[in-house]
Amino acid sequence: MTSAISLVQAWQHAVNAQDIDRLLELSAHDIVIIGPRGRASGHQLLRDWIARAGLTLTTQRIFQRDDTVVLAQHGVWQSEATGGVPSEADLASRLRVNHQQVVEYERYDTLAQALEAAGMTEADEQAIIT
């Protein structure tokens, strides 16, 4: 397992645990977050997103090329916005790593979209090691 994948898995664990301090430690100060609501950056945005989303992600597949990691995931949201009622979906995440920090996170509706955006193919799949 490469250091980029290890870092991304640690970042994902911090998201799931809502461990803001660890998440910020693993994230560049100017991290870019791209999702359905648009594009923004910074630690404060990351704090707000984690507090609001009530998100838990389970990684099903991992792809990597250079400093970019794509994860096929199943997400469950349980937040005040949904009245505590969980919603769930399969999705994909693309993360870019630089200097042992996540510098960019983007969410996609499908794995195919994420792989295309990252310039990857099925051949870039890596084994999941827990």
Side-chain angles (χ1 to χ4, degrees), residues 37-76:
R37 296 181 181 174
R39 175 187 197 107
S41 63
H43 274 187
Q44 188 58 51
L45 171 78
L46 194 54
R47 283 180 200 275
D48 295 345
W49 174 58
I50 294 304
R52 178 184 69 247
L55 175 63
T56 303
L57 294 164
T58 303
T59 299
Q60 300 164 328
R61 297 173 71 188
I62 298 175
F63 301 80
Q64 183 198 4
R65 184 178 292 172
D66 301 324
D67 65 350
T68 301
V69 177
V70 170
L71 306 173
Q73 299 171 302
H74 183 76
V76 177

PDB file of all heavy atoms in Angstrom, residues 37-76:
ATOM      1  N   ARG A  37     -22.709  21.100  -4.213  1.00  0.00           N
ATOM      2  CA  ARG A  37     -23.015  22.518  -3.945  1.00  0.00           C
ATOM      3  C   ARG A  37     -21.962  23.472  -4.498  1.00  0.00           C
ATOM      4  O   ARG A  37     -22.018  24.668  -4.254  1.00  0.00           O
ATOM      5  CB  ARG A  37     -23.169  22.745  -2.452  1.00  0.00           C
ATOM      6  CG  ARG A  37     -24.340  21.998  -1.879  1.00  0.00           C
ATOM      7  CD  ARG A  37     -24.484  22.251  -0.418  1.00  0.00           C
ATOM      8  NE  ARG A  37     -25.601  21.502   0.096  1.00  0.00           N
ATOM      9  CZ  ARG A  37     -25.919  21.426   1.357  1.00  0.00           C
ATOM     10  NH1 ARG A  37     -25.196  22.058   2.259  1.00  0.00           N
ATOM     11  NH2 ARG A  37     -26.954  20.719   1.742  1.00  0.00           N
ATOM     12  N   GLY A  38     -20.958  22.923  -5.198  1.00  0.00           N
ATOM     13  CA  GLY A  38     -19.942  23.780  -5.794  1.00  0.00           C
ATOM     14  C   GLY A  38     -18.562  23.511  -5.245  1.00  0.00           C
ATOM     15  O   GLY A  38     -18.273  22.431  -4.729  1.00  0.00           O
ATOM     16  N   ARG A  39     -17.721  24.528  -5.336  1.00  0.00           N
ATOM     17  CA  ARG A  39     -16.305  24.414  -4.999  1.00  0.00           C
ATOM     18  C   ARG A  39     -15.949  25.497  -3.986  1.00  0.00           C
ATOM     19  O   ARG A  39     -16.302  26.659  -4.169  1.00  0.00           O
ATOM     20  CB  ARG A  39     -15.511  24.610  -6.284  1.00  0.00           C
ATOM     21  CG  ARG A  39     -14.042  24.655  -6.131  1.00  0.00           C
ATOM     22  CD  ARG A  39     -13.405  25.037  -7.492  1.00  0.00           C
ATOM     23  NE  ARG A  39     -12.024  24.713  -7.491  1.00  0.00           N
ATOM     24  CZ  ARG A  39     -11.470  23.706  -8.158  1.00  0.00           C
ATOM     25  NH1 ARG A  39     -12.205  22.953  -8.931  1.00  0.00           N
ATOM     26  NH2 ARG A  39     -10.182  23.475  -8.068  1.00  0.00           N
ATOM     27  N   ALA A  40     -15.226  25.105  -2.942  1.00  0.00           N
ATOM     28  CA  ALA A  40     -14.768  26.063  -1.940  1.00  0.00           C
ATOM     29  C   ALA A  40     -13.505  25.491  -1.305  1.00  0.00           C
ATOM     30  O   ALA A  40     -13.120  24.352  -1.580  1.00  0.00           O
ATOM     31  CB  ALA A  40     -15.845  26.323  -0.905  1.00  0.00           C
ATOM     32  N   SER A  41     -12.869  26.284  -0.446  1.00  0.00           N
ATOM     33  CA  SER A  41     -11.623  25.795   0.128  1.00  0.00           C
ATOM     34  C   SER A  41     -11.430  26.257   1.565  1.00  0.00           C
ATOM     35  O   SER A  41     -12.084  27.190   2.021  1.00  0.00           O
ATOM     36  CB  SER A  41     -10.438  26.254  -0.729  1.00  0.00           C
ATOM     37  OG  SER A  41     -10.359  27.658  -0.714  1.00  0.00           O
ATOM     38  N   GLY A  42     -10.523  25.574   2.243  1.00  0.00           N
ATOM     39  CA  GLY A  42     -10.098  25.978   3.567  1.00  0.00           C
ATOM     40  C   GLY A  42     -10.573  25.075   4.692  1.00  0.00           C
ATOM     41  O   GLY A  42     -11.516  24.315   4.554  1.00  0.00           O
ATOM     42  N   HIS A  43      -9.861  25.202   5.810  1.00  0.00           N
ATOM     43  CA  HIS A  43     -10.178  24.407   6.990  1.00  0.00           C
ATOM     44  C   HIS A  43     -11.561  24.712   7.557  1.00  0.00           C
ATOM     45  O   HIS A  43     -12.243  23.802   8.022  1.00  0.00           O
ATOM     46  CB  HIS A  43      -9.113  24.623   8.068  1.00  0.00           C
ATOM     47  CG  HIS A  43      -7.930  23.721   7.909  1.00  0.00           C
ATOM     48  ND1 HIS A  43      -6.939  23.656   8.852  1.00  0.00           N
ATOM     49  CD2 HIS A  43      -7.571  22.854   6.931  1.00  0.00           C
ATOM     50  CE1 HIS A  43      -6.017  22.780   8.473  1.00  0.00           C
ATOM     51  NE2 HIS A  43      -6.368  22.291   7.305  1.00  0.00           N
ATOM     52  N   GLN A  44     -11.984  25.980   7.533  1.00  0.00           N
ATOM     53  CA  GLN A  44     -13.302  26.298   8.099  1.00  0.00           C
ATOM     54  C   GLN A  44     -14.414  25.608   7.309  1.00  0.00           C
ATOM     55  O   GLN A  44     -15.367  25.088   7.882  1.00  0.00           O
ATOM     56  CB  GLN A  44     -13.546  27.805   8.147  1.00  0.00           C
ATOM     57  CG  GLN A  44     -14.811  28.176   8.906  1.00  0.00           C
ATOM     58  CD  GLN A  44     -14.806  27.653  10.349  1.00  0.00           C
ATOM     59  OE1 GLN A  44     -13.849  27.859  11.084  1.00  0.00           O
ATOM     60  NE2 GLN A  44     -15.870  26.979  10.753  1.00  0.00           N
ATOM     61  N   LEU A  45     -14.275  25.584   5.999  1.00  0.00           N
ATOM     62  CA  LEU A  45     -15.250  24.878   5.162  1.00  0.00           C
ATOM     63  C   LEU A  45     -15.283  23.399   5.531  1.00  0.00           C
ATOM     64  O   LEU A  45     -16.353  22.809   5.654  1.00  0.00           O
ATOM     65  CB  LEU A  45     -14.911  25.044   3.682  1.00  0.00           C
ATOM     66  CG  LEU A  45     -15.752  24.153   2.774  1.00  0.00           C
ATOM     67  CD1 LEU A  45     -17.131  24.747   2.585  1.00  0.00           C
ATOM     68  CD2 LEU A  45     -15.061  23.933   1.463  1.00  0.00           C
ATOM     69  N   LEU A  46     -14.113  22.810   5.713  1.00  0.00           N
ATOM     70  CA  LEU A  46     -14.023  21.402   6.084  1.00  0.00           C
ATOM     71  C   LEU A  46     -14.707  21.153   7.423  1.00  0.00           C
ATOM     72  O   LEU A  46     -15.478  20.204   7.575  1.00  0.00           O
ATOM     73  CB  LEU A  46     -12.552  20.989   6.131  1.00  0.00           C
ATOM     74  CG  LEU A  46     -12.217  19.519   6.176  1.00  0.00           C
ATOM     75  CD1 LEU A  46     -12.860  18.743   5.045  1.00  0.00           C
ATOM     76  CD2 LEU A  46     -10.700  19.344   6.155  1.00  0.00           C
ATOM     77  N   ARG A  47     -14.459  22.014   8.393  1.00  0.00           N
ATOM     78  CA  ARG A  47     -15.143  21.916   9.701  1.00  0.00           C
ATOM     79  C   ARG A  47     -16.664  21.955   9.539  1.00  0.00           C
ATOM     80  O   ARG A  47     -17.376  21.128  10.107  1.00  0.00           O
ATOM     81  CB  ARG A  47     -14.758  23.088  10.596  1.00  0.00           C
ATOM     82  CG  ARG A  47     -13.439  23.043  11.234  1.00  0.00           C
ATOM     83  CD  ARG A  47     -13.291  24.337  12.085  1.00  0.00           C
ATOM     84  NE  ARG A  47     -11.934  24.628  12.380  1.00  0.00           N
ATOM     85  CZ  ARG A  47     -11.279  24.111  13.408  1.00  0.00           C
ATOM     86  NH1 ARG A  47     -11.869  23.300  14.225  1.00  0.00           N
ATOM     87  NH2 ARG A  47     -10.016  24.427  13.606  1.00  0.00           N
ATOM     88  N   ASP A  48     -17.132  22.931   8.778  1.00  0.00           N
ATOM     89  CA  ASP A  48     -18.576  23.100   8.577  1.00  0.00           C
ATOM     90  C   ASP A  48     -19.182  21.895   7.877  1.00  0.00           C
ATOM     91  O   ASP A  48     -20.262  21.430   8.244  1.00  0.00           O
ATOM     92  CB  ASP A  48     -18.865  24.371   7.772  1.00  0.00           C
ATOM     93  CG  ASP A  48     -18.467  25.640   8.510  1.00  0.00           C
ATOM     94  OD1 ASP A  48     -18.225  25.586   9.740  1.00  0.00           O
ATOM     95  OD2 ASP A  48     -18.379  26.691   7.847  1.00  0.00           O
ATOM     96  N   TRP A  49     -18.485  21.396   6.864  1.00  0.00           N
ATOM     97  CA  TRP A  49     -18.984  20.251   6.091  1.00  0.00           C
ATOM     98  C   TRP A  49     -19.136  19.021   6.982  1.00  0.00           C
ATOM     99  O   TRP A  49     -20.170  18.366   6.969  1.00  0.00           O
ATOM    100  CB  TRP A  49     -18.038  19.973   4.923  1.00  0.00           C
ATOM    101  CG  TRP A  49     -18.350  18.737   4.145  1.00  0.00           C
ATOM    102  CD1 TRP A  49     -19.513  18.441   3.500  1.00  0.00           C
ATOM    103  CD2 TRP A  49     -17.490  17.614   3.938  1.00  0.00           C
ATOM    104  NE1 TRP A  49     -19.418  17.210   2.889  1.00  0.00           N
ATOM    105  CE2 TRP A  49     -18.182  16.687   3.140  1.00  0.00           C
ATOM    106  CE3 TRP A  49     -16.182  17.326   4.333  1.00  0.00           C
ATOM    107  CZ2 TRP A  49     -17.626  15.475   2.743  1.00  0.00           C
ATOM    108  CZ3 TRP A  49     -15.625  16.126   3.926  1.00  0.00           C
ATOM    109  CH2 TRP A  49     -16.344  15.213   3.141  1.00  0.00           C
ATOM    110  N   ILE A  50     -18.113  18.721   7.771  1.00  0.00           N
ATOM    111  CA  ILE A  50     -18.160  17.543   8.636  1.00  0.00           C
ATOM    112  C   ILE A  50     -19.257  17.686   9.685  1.00  0.00           C
ATOM    113  O   ILE A  50     -19.999  16.740   9.961  1.00  0.00           O
ATOM    114  CB  ILE A  50     -16.791  17.286   9.294  1.00  0.00           C
ATOM    115  CG1 ILE A  50     -15.759  16.913   8.232  1.00  0.00           C
ATOM    116  CG2 ILE A  50     -16.871  16.218  10.367  1.00  0.00           C
ATOM    117  CD1 ILE A  50     -16.144  15.724   7.369  1.00  0.00           C
ATOM    118  N   ALA A  51     -19.399  18.861  10.260  1.00  0.00           N
ATOM    119  CA  ALA A  51     -20.426  19.085  11.277  1.00  0.00           C
ATOM    120  C   ALA A  51     -21.832  18.949  10.696  1.00  0.00           C
ATOM    121  O   ALA A  51     -22.737  18.451  11.355  1.00  0.00           O
ATOM    122  CB  ALA A  51     -20.243  20.471  11.893  1.00  0.00           C
ATOM    123  N   ARG A  52     -22.008  19.361   9.462  1.00  0.00           N
ATOM    124  CA  ARG A  52     -23.324  19.386   8.828  1.00  0.00           C
ATOM    125  C   ARG A  52     -23.715  18.047   8.198  1.00  0.00           C
ATOM    126  O   ARG A  52     -24.865  17.635   8.253  1.00  0.00           O
ATOM    127  CB  ARG A  52     -23.339  20.482   7.762  1.00  0.00           C
ATOM    128  CG  ARG A  52     -24.620  20.605   6.985  1.00  0.00           C
ATOM    129  CD  ARG A  52     -24.541  21.656   5.876  1.00  0.00           C
ATOM    130  NE  ARG A  52     -23.648  21.231   4.806  1.00  0.00           N
ATOM    131  CZ  ARG A  52     -22.490  21.796   4.501  1.00  0.00           C
ATOM    132  NH1 ARG A  52     -22.043  22.827   5.174  1.00  0.00           N
ATOM    133  NH2 ARG A  52     -21.737  21.332   3.523  1.00  0.00           N
ATOM    134  N   ALA A  53     -22.775  17.358   7.584  1.00  0.00           N
ATOM    135  CA  ALA A  53     -23.096  16.229   6.717  1.00  0.00           C
ATOM    136  C   ALA A  53     -23.573  14.977   7.447  1.00  0.00           C
ATOM    137  O   ALA A  53     -24.419  14.250   6.932  1.00  0.00           O
ATOM    138  CB  ALA A  53     -21.900  15.883   5.844  1.00  0.00           C
ATOM    139  N   GLY A  54     -23.028  14.684   8.625  1.00  0.00           N
ATOM    140  CA  GLY A  54     -23.376  13.439   9.301  1.00  0.00           C
ATOM    141  C   GLY A  54     -23.081  12.245   8.406  1.00  0.00           C
ATOM    142  O   GLY A  54     -23.875  11.326   8.285  1.00  0.00           O
ATOM    143  N   LEU A  55     -21.937  12.261   7.763  1.00  0.00           N
ATOM    144  CA  LEU A  55     -21.589  11.315   6.711  1.00  0.00           C
ATOM    145  C   LEU A  55     -20.683  10.197   7.205  1.00  0.00           C
ATOM    146  O   LEU A  55     -19.728  10.440   7.945  1.00  0.00           O
ATOM    147  CB  LEU A  55     -20.872  12.081   5.587  1.00  0.00           C
ATOM    148  CG  LEU A  55     -20.305  11.290   4.419  1.00  0.00           C
ATOM    149  CD1 LEU A  55     -21.427  10.575   3.658  1.00  0.00           C
ATOM    150  CD2 LEU A  55     -19.547  12.222   3.496  1.00  0.00           C
ATOM    151  N   THR A  56     -21.004   8.983   6.785  1.00  0.00           N
ATOM    152  CA  THR A  56     -20.135   7.835   6.997  1.00  0.00           C
ATOM    153  C   THR A  56     -19.928   7.174   5.643  1.00  0.00           C
ATOM    154  O   THR A  56     -20.897   6.895   4.937  1.00  0.00           O
ATOM    155  CB  THR A  56     -20.762   6.818   7.970  1.00  0.00           C
ATOM    156  OG1 THR A  56     -21.046   7.480   9.205  1.00  0.00           O
ATOM    157  CG2 THR A  56     -19.836   5.643   8.221  1.00  0.00           C
ATOM    158  N   LEU A  57     -18.675   6.947   5.283  1.00  0.00           N
ATOM    159  CA  LEU A  57     -18.336   6.344   3.991  1.00  0.00           C
ATOM    160  C   LEU A  57     -17.644   5.002   4.195  1.00  0.00           C
ATOM    161  O   LEU A  57     -16.741   4.884   5.018  1.00  0.00           O
ATOM    162  CB  LEU A  57     -17.418   7.273   3.199  1.00  0.00           C
ATOM    163  CG  LEU A  57     -18.047   8.587   2.749  1.00  0.00           C
ATOM    164  CD1 LEU A  57     -16.981   9.581   2.328  1.00  0.00           C
ATOM    165  CD2 LEU A  57     -19.020   8.330   1.609  1.00  0.00           C
ATOM    166  N   THR A  58     -18.078   4.015   3.425  1.00  0.00           N
ATOM    167  CA  THR A  58     -17.443   2.705   3.423  1.00  0.00           C
ATOM    168  C   THR A  58     -16.787   2.517   2.063  1.00  0.00           C
ATOM    169  O   THR A  58     -17.460   2.595   1.041  1.00  0.00           O
ATOM    170  CB  THR A  58     -18.483   1.588   3.659  1.00  0.00           C
ATOM    171  OG1 THR A  58     -19.149   1.835   4.894  1.00  0.00           O
ATOM    172  CG2 THR A  58     -17.825   0.226   3.688  1.00  0.00           C
ATOM    173  N   THR A  59     -15.481   2.304   2.075  1.00  0.00           N
ATOM    174  CA  THR A  59     -14.744   2.139   0.823  1.00  0.00           C
ATOM    175  C   THR A  59     -14.886   0.709   0.316  1.00  0.00           C
ATOM    176  O   THR A  59     -14.675  -0.245   1.056  1.00  0.00           O
ATOM    177  CB  THR A  59     -13.260   2.488   1.025  1.00  0.00           C
ATOM    178  OG1 THR A  59     -13.178   3.864   1.427  1.00  0.00           O
ATOM    179  CG2 THR A  59     -12.461   2.283  -0.239  1.00  0.00           C
ATOM    180  N   GLN A  60     -15.240   0.600  -0.965  1.00  0.00           N
ATOM    181  CA  GLN A  60     -15.427  -0.706  -1.597  1.00  0.00           C
ATOM    182  C   GLN A  60     -14.291  -1.057  -2.553  1.00  0.00           C
ATOM    183  O   GLN A  60     -13.949  -2.220  -2.708  1.00  0.00           O
ATOM    184  CB  GLN A  60     -16.767  -0.726  -2.333  1.00  0.00           C
ATOM    185  CG  GLN A  60     -17.921  -0.489  -1.382  1.00  0.00           C
ATOM    186  CD  GLN A  60     -19.215  -0.120  -2.068  1.00  0.00           C
ATOM    187  OE1 GLN A  60     -19.218   0.524  -3.121  1.00  0.00           O
ATOM    188  NE2 GLN A  60     -20.328  -0.514  -1.476  1.00  0.00           N
ATOM    189  N   ARG A  61     -13.721  -0.027  -3.206  1.00  0.00           N
ATOM    190  CA  ARG A  61     -12.614  -0.237  -4.148  1.00  0.00           C
ATOM    191  C   ARG A  61     -11.694   0.978  -4.080  1.00  0.00           C
ATOM    192  O   ARG A  61     -12.160   2.088  -3.805  1.00  0.00           O
ATOM    193  CB  ARG A  61     -13.133  -0.398  -5.577  1.00  0.00           C
ATOM    194  CG  ARG A  61     -14.018  -1.626  -5.759  1.00  0.00           C
ATOM    195  CD  ARG A  61     -14.669  -1.674  -7.131  1.00  0.00           C
ATOM    196  NE  ARG A  61     -13.688  -1.979  -8.177  1.00  0.00           N
ATOM    197  CZ  ARG A  61     -13.961  -1.921  -9.476  1.00  0.00           C
ATOM    198  NH1 ARG A  61     -15.167  -1.566  -9.902  1.00  0.00           N
ATOM    199  NH2 ARG A  61     -13.027  -2.209 -10.376  1.00  0.00           N
ATOM    200  N   ILE A  62     -10.386   0.753  -4.366  1.00  0.00           N
ATOM    201  CA  ILE A  62      -9.396   1.824  -4.337  1.00  0.00           C
ATOM    202  C   ILE A  62      -8.602   1.810  -5.644  1.00  0.00           C
ATOM    203  O   ILE A  62      -8.183   0.743  -6.110  1.00  0.00           O
ATOM    204  CB  ILE A  62      -8.407   1.651  -3.162  1.00  0.00           C
ATOM    205  CG1 ILE A  62      -9.137   1.720  -1.832  1.00  0.00           C
ATOM    206  CG2 ILE A  62      -7.304   2.693  -3.222  1.00  0.00           C
ATOM    207  CD1 ILE A  62      -8.260   1.431  -0.627  1.00  0.00           C
ATOM    208  N   PHE A  63      -8.393   3.004  -6.190  1.00  0.00           N
ATOM    209  CA  PHE A  63      -7.597   3.186  -7.400  1.00  0.00           C
ATOM    210  C   PHE A  63      -6.564   4.268  -7.105  1.00  0.00           C
ATOM    211  O   PHE A  63      -6.850   5.223  -6.395  1.00  0.00           O
ATOM    212  CB  PHE A  63      -8.481   3.644  -8.566  1.00  0.00           C
ATOM    213  CG  PHE A  63      -9.584   2.676  -8.888  1.00  0.00           C
ATOM    214  CD1 PHE A  63     -10.744   2.642  -8.128  1.00  0.00           C
ATOM    215  CD2 PHE A  63      -9.463   1.781  -9.940  1.00  0.00           C
ATOM    216  CE1 PHE A  63     -11.766   1.740  -8.415  1.00  0.00           C
ATOM    217  CE2 PHE A  63     -10.476   0.880 -10.227  1.00  0.00           C
ATOM    218  CZ  PHE A  63     -11.623   0.858  -9.467  1.00  0.00           C
ATOM    219  N   GLN A  64      -5.370   4.120  -7.683  1.00  0.00           N
ATOM    220  CA  GLN A  64      -4.356   5.142  -7.469  1.00  0.00           C
ATOM    221  C   GLN A  64      -3.479   5.293  -8.699  1.00  0.00           C
ATOM    222  O   GLN A  64      -3.127   4.312  -9.360  1.00  0.00           O
ATOM    223  CB  GLN A  64      -3.458   4.813  -6.292  1.00  0.00           C
ATOM    224  CG  GLN A  64      -2.463   5.940  -6.044  1.00  0.00           C
ATOM    225  CD  GLN A  64      -1.284   5.541  -5.217  1.00  0.00           C
ATOM    226  OE1 GLN A  64      -1.121   4.384  -4.856  1.00  0.00           O
ATOM    227  NE2 GLN A  64      -0.434   6.493  -4.937  1.00  0.00           N
ATOM    228  N   ARG A  65      -3.136   6.538  -8.969  1.00  0.00           N
ATOM    229  CA  ARG A  65      -2.100   6.874  -9.946  1.00  0.00           C
ATOM    230  C   ARG A  65      -1.405   8.118  -9.411  1.00  0.00           C
ATOM    231  O   ARG A  65      -2.048   9.137  -9.165  1.00  0.00           O
ATOM    232  CB  ARG A  65      -2.691   7.138 -11.325  1.00  0.00           C
ATOM    233  CG  ARG A  65      -1.585   7.399 -12.355  1.00  0.00           C
ATOM    234  CD  ARG A  65      -2.098   7.626 -13.734  1.00  0.00           C
ATOM    235  NE  ARG A  65      -2.681   6.397 -14.276  1.00  0.00           N
ATOM    236  CZ  ARG A  65      -3.344   6.360 -15.420  1.00  0.00           C
ATOM    237  NH1 ARG A  65      -3.533   7.461 -16.120  1.00  0.00           N
ATOM    238  NH2 ARG A  65      -3.844   5.217 -15.854  1.00  0.00           N
ATOM    239  N   ASP A  66      -0.111   7.998  -9.218  1.00  0.00           N
ATOM    240  CA  ASP A  66       0.703   9.103  -8.716  1.00  0.00           C
ATOM    241  C   ASP A  66       0.120   9.648  -7.402  1.00  0.00           C
ATOM    242  O   ASP A  66      -0.053   8.896  -6.463  1.00  0.00           O
ATOM    243  CB  ASP A  66       0.854  10.190  -9.776  1.00  0.00           C
ATOM    244  CG  ASP A  66       1.502   9.665 -11.054  1.00  0.00           C
ATOM    245  OD1 ASP A  66       2.392   8.794 -10.942  1.00  0.00           O
ATOM    246  OD2 ASP A  66       1.105  10.096 -12.144  1.00  0.00           O
ATOM    247  N   ASP A  67      -0.218  10.937  -7.368  1.00  0.00           N
ATOM    248  CA  ASP A  67      -0.693  11.573  -6.134  1.00  0.00           C
ATOM    249  C   ASP A  67      -2.214  11.598  -6.013  1.00  0.00           C
ATOM    250  O   ASP A  67      -2.762  12.271  -5.147  1.00  0.00           O
ATOM    251  CB  ASP A  67      -0.137  12.991  -6.014  1.00  0.00           C
ATOM    252  CG  ASP A  67      -0.659  13.929  -7.102  1.00  0.00           C
ATOM    253  OD1 ASP A  67      -1.304  13.447  -8.063  1.00  0.00           O
ATOM    254  OD2 ASP A  67      -0.424  15.139  -6.998  1.00  0.00           O
ATOM    255  N   THR A  68      -2.897  10.866  -6.883  1.00  0.00           N
ATOM    256  CA  THR A  68      -4.364  10.878  -6.889  1.00  0.00           C
ATOM    257  C   THR A  68      -4.908   9.506  -6.525  1.00  0.00           C
ATOM    258  O   THR A  68      -4.444   8.485  -7.028  1.00  0.00           O
ATOM    259  CB  THR A  68      -4.895  11.309  -8.272  1.00  0.00           C
ATOM    260  OG1 THR A  68      -4.378  12.612  -8.572  1.00  0.00           O
ATOM    261  CG2 THR A  68      -6.412  11.367  -8.292  1.00  0.00           C
ATOM    262  N   VAL A  69      -5.911   9.505  -5.650  1.00  0.00           N
ATOM    263  CA  VAL A  69      -6.570   8.280  -5.209  1.00  0.00           C
ATOM    264  C   VAL A  69      -8.062   8.438  -5.470  1.00  0.00           C
ATOM    265  O   VAL A  69      -8.646   9.478  -5.165  1.00  0.00           O
ATOM    266  CB  VAL A  69      -6.318   8.022  -3.701  1.00  0.00           C
ATOM    267  CG1 VAL A  69      -7.071   6.779  -3.223  1.00  0.00           C
ATOM    268  CG2 VAL A  69      -4.827   7.902  -3.410  1.00  0.00           C
ATOM    269  N   VAL A  70      -8.661   7.402  -6.058  1.00  0.00           N
ATOM    270  CA  VAL A  70     -10.105   7.369  -6.278  1.00  0.00           C
ATOM    271  C   VAL A  70     -10.671   6.224  -5.446  1.00  0.00           C
ATOM    272  O   VAL A  70     -10.117   5.123  -5.447  1.00  0.00           O
ATOM    273  CB  VAL A  70     -10.456   7.185  -7.770  1.00  0.00           C
ATOM    274  CG1 VAL A  70     -11.936   6.902  -7.957  1.00  0.00           C
ATOM    275  CG2 VAL A  70     -10.046   8.417  -8.572  1.00  0.00           C
ATOM    276  N   LEU A  71     -11.752   6.503  -4.740  1.00  0.00           N
ATOM    277  CA  LEU A  71     -12.409   5.510  -3.896  1.00  0.00           C
ATOM    278  C   LEU A  71     -13.838   5.283  -4.384  1.00  0.00           C
ATOM    279  O   LEU A  71     -14.587   6.241  -4.546  1.00  0.00           O
ATOM    280  CB  LEU A  71     -12.462   5.993  -2.448  1.00  0.00           C
ATOM    281  CG  LEU A  71     -11.141   6.411  -1.809  1.00  0.00           C
ATOM    282  CD1 LEU A  71     -11.407   7.029  -0.441  1.00  0.00           C
ATOM    283  CD2 LEU A  71     -10.197   5.232  -1.698  1.00  0.00           C
ATOM    284  N   ALA A  72     -14.205   4.033  -4.613  1.00  0.00           N
ATOM    285  CA  ALA A  72     -15.611   3.672  -4.827  1.00  0.00           C
ATOM    286  C   ALA A  72     -16.167   3.435  -3.433  1.00  0.00           C
ATOM    287  O   ALA A  72     -15.592   2.666  -2.650  1.00  0.00           O
ATOM    288  CB  ALA A  72     -15.726   2.422  -5.680  1.00  0.00           C
ATOM    289  N   GLN A  73     -17.285   4.115  -3.113  1.00  0.00           N
ATOM    290  CA  GLN A  73     -17.763   4.093  -1.735  1.00  0.00           C
ATOM    291  C   GLN A  73     -19.278   3.977  -1.649  1.00  0.00           C
ATOM    292  O   GLN A  73     -19.998   4.255  -2.606  1.00  0.00           O
ATOM    293  CB  GLN A  73     -17.344   5.385  -1.033  1.00  0.00           C
ATOM    294  CG  GLN A  73     -15.844   5.562  -0.990  1.00  0.00           C
ATOM    295  CD  GLN A  73     -15.458   6.929  -0.494  1.00  0.00           C
ATOM    296  OE1 GLN A  73     -15.846   7.935  -1.068  1.00  0.00           O
ATOM    297  NE2 GLN A  73     -14.666   6.969   0.561  1.00  0.00           N
ATOM    298  N   HIS A  74     -19.708   3.599  -0.453  1.00  0.00           N
ATOM    299  CA  HIS A  74     -21.122   3.651  -0.097  1.00  0.00           C
ATOM    300  C   HIS A  74     -21.237   4.681   1.029  1.00  0.00           C
ATOM    301  O   HIS A  74     -20.532   4.572   2.037  1.00  0.00           O
ATOM    302  CB  HIS A  74     -21.632   2.296   0.365  1.00  0.00           C
ATOM    303  CG  HIS A  74     -23.093   2.311   0.658  1.00  0.00           C
ATOM    304  ND1 HIS A  74     -24.047   2.299  -0.339  1.00  0.00           N
ATOM    305  CD2 HIS A  74     -23.767   2.389   1.827  1.00  0.00           C
ATOM    306  CE1 HIS A  74     -25.251   2.348   0.213  1.00  0.00           C
ATOM    307  NE2 HIS A  74     -25.110   2.406   1.527  1.00  0.00           N
ATOM    308  N   GLY A  75     -22.060   5.694   0.810  1.00  0.00           N
ATOM    309  CA  GLY A  75     -22.213   6.755   1.793  1.00  0.00           C
ATOM    310  C   GLY A  75     -23.553   6.709   2.488  1.00  0.00           C
ATOM    311  O   GLY A  75     -24.569   6.407   1.872  1.00  0.00           O
ATOM    312  N   VAL A  76     -23.525   7.020   3.770  1.00  0.00           N
ATOM    313  CA  VAL A  76     -24.753   7.147   4.564  1.00  0.00           C
ATOM    314  C   VAL A  76     -24.707   8.505   5.240  1.00  0.00           C
ATOM    315  O   VAL A  76     -23.734   8.839   5.918  1.00  0.00           O
ATOM    316  CB  VAL A  76     -24.866   6.031   5.627  1.00  0.00           C
ATOM    317  CG1 VAL A  76     -26.120   6.229   6.477  1.00  0.00           C
ATOM    318  CG2 VAL A  76     -24.861   4.655   4.976  1.00  0.00           C
TER     319      VAL A  76
END
